[in-house]
């Protein structure tokens, strides 16, 4: 849990006697765990209804300890589960109403492992462009650049598959090491070849008239995709001479 300032010497500008915090104090409270957090990001999350700070007569935002903890939860769910903001808001609102709700799952977890199947956990199938931009912390021009390299592609209706959030997050993380989107075209090409190989194996099952056989094709595709991902990771680790935890 985050602790609000006590209102001691030198903290008058950051908090009131009631323990409410200014947006600058909230930024400092969150920065240790979320180094990329900005005031603009906090304001954006407010505009999306994720948090509702109080306002002074002069219009300044004042955040409670609950507001700060809720912001931290939002940022963790974005970072660790790649969930769209709308889904996060609905989940947190349900929790605060005392409802027993499972955490929605989308794409992959942060450590790269597939989220375990659960009949009780709803799956987010797609997200809008604005939600993708917000989740990845990028602007529209950057997204267009990534699309030009084939790293991401919108669906016919302009939305994105939920896995796009995972891809975008990983592209951002690689960028911190100086690996630019244009450098990732080789990874995209390799992924397309691997997907083509899997599709070649399951194609006869997909074309079958029997619905059960087609369902089996989907299960086989997931199984082969999982094996391909593990093999790819093992080959990369072997080539680099490293072993990931």
């Amino acid at each position: 849990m985050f602790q609000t300032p006590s209102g001691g010497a030198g903290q008058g500008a950051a908090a009131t006697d009631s323990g409410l915090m200014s947006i600058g104090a909230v930024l400092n409270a969150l920065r240790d765990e979320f180094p990329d957090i900005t005031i603009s990001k906090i304001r954006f999350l407010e505009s999306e209804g994720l948090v509702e700070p109080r306002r002074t007569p002069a219009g300044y935002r004042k955040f409670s300890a609950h507001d700060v903890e809720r912001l931290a939860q939002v940022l963790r769910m974005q970072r660790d589960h790649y969930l769209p903001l709308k889904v996060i808001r609905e989940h947190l609102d349900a929790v605060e109403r005392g409802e027993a709700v499972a955490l929605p799952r989308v794409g992959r977890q942060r450590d790269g492992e597939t989220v375990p199947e659960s009949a009780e956990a709803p799956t987010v199938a797609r997200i809008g462009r604005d939600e993708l931009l917000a989740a990845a912390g990028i602007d529209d021009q950057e997204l267009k650049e990534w699309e030009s390299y084939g790293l991401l592609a919108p669906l016919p209706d302009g939305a994105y598959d939920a896995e796009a959030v995972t891809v975008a997050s990983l592209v951002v993380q690689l960028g911190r090491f100086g690996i630019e989107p244009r450098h990732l075209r080789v990874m995209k090409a390799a992924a397309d070849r691997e997907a083509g190989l899997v599709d070649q194996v399951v194609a006869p099952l997909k074309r079958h008239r029997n619905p059960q056989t087609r369902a089996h094709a989907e299960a086989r595709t997931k199984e082969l995709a999982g094996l391909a991902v593990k093999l790819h990771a093992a080959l990369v680790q072997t080539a680099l001479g490293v072993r990931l935890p």
Side-chain angles (χ1 to χ4, degrees), residues 20-242:
L20 297 180
M21 303 170 66
S22 69
I23 194 169
V26 173
L27 182 71
N28 291 332
L30 295 171
R31 188 167 275 161
D32 285 345
E33 184 176 354
F34 310 100
D36 295 332
I37 189 66
T38 64
I39 286 179
S40 295
K41 174 76 170 181
I42 296 173
R43 288 172 176 164
F44 174 75
L45 293 176
E46 178 191 355
S47 71
E48 291 294 306
L50 275 303
V51 66
E52 297 181 0
R54 302 180 192 179
R55 292 275 187 162
T56 68
Y60 293 106
R61 296 172 177 84
K62 291 297 179 181
F63 296 80
S64 66
H66 172 74
D67 292 329
V68 180
E69 180 58 31
R70 184 174 167 104
L71 282 170
Q73 289 179 304
V74 171
L75 294 169
R76 289 189 196 106
M77 292 172 75
Q78 276 193 304
R79 179 193 66 193
D80 299 341
H81 302 284
Y82 307 112
L83 291 171
L85 294 179
K86 178 182 178 181
V87 175
I88 293 175
R89 183 178 65 248
E90 292 174 350
H91 175 77
L92 292 179
D93 288 347
V95 170
E96 291 186 355
R97 289 193 301 267
E99 299 176 12
V101 291
L103 180 68
R105 54 188 174 83
V106 52
R108 300 179 185 278
Q109 298 282 17
R110 186 168 175 241
D111 59 8
E113 296 181 358
T114 303
V115 179
E117 294 291 334
S118 171
E120 297 180 355
T123 301
V124 181
R126 56 210 288 136
I127 63 171
R129 190 178 186 87
D130 289 342
E131 287 183 311
L132 177 59
L133 294 173
I138 59 174
D139 58 35
D140 192 68
Q141 189 58 42
E142 288 176 289
L143 180 54
K144 288 179 179 178
E145 179 188 5
W146 297 3
E147 291 173 341
S148 72
Y149 296 134
L151 300 176
L152 290 169
L155 299 169
D157 63 358
Y160 291 81
D161 184 275
E163 192 73 9
V165 183
T166 306
V167 174
S169 178
L170 293 172
V171 172
V172 169
Q173 292 179 53
L174 288 168
R176 294 172 184 155
F177 294 90
I179 301 178
E180 300 178 12
R182 59 190 176 87
H183 299 145
L184 302 177
R185 286 179 293 184
V186 62
M187 293 187 181
K188 179 61 168 60
D192 286 343
R193 288 194 296 270
E194 292 169 12
L197 178 60
V198 171
D199 191 61
Q200 183 179 351
V201 173
V202 300
L205 297 177
K206 288 182 177 180
R207 293 194 295 265
H208 205 281
R209 293 182 179 180
N210 190 321
Q212 291 183 337
T213 302
R214 292 198 298 271
H216 178 64
E218 183 177 355
R220 180 61 58 85
T221 299
K222 291 181 179 180
E223 182 181 2
L224 288 172
L227 291 173
V229 168
K230 290 180 180 178
L231 175 60
H232 182 89
L235 291 172
V236 172
Q237 292 180 62
T238 300
L240 294 174
V242 298

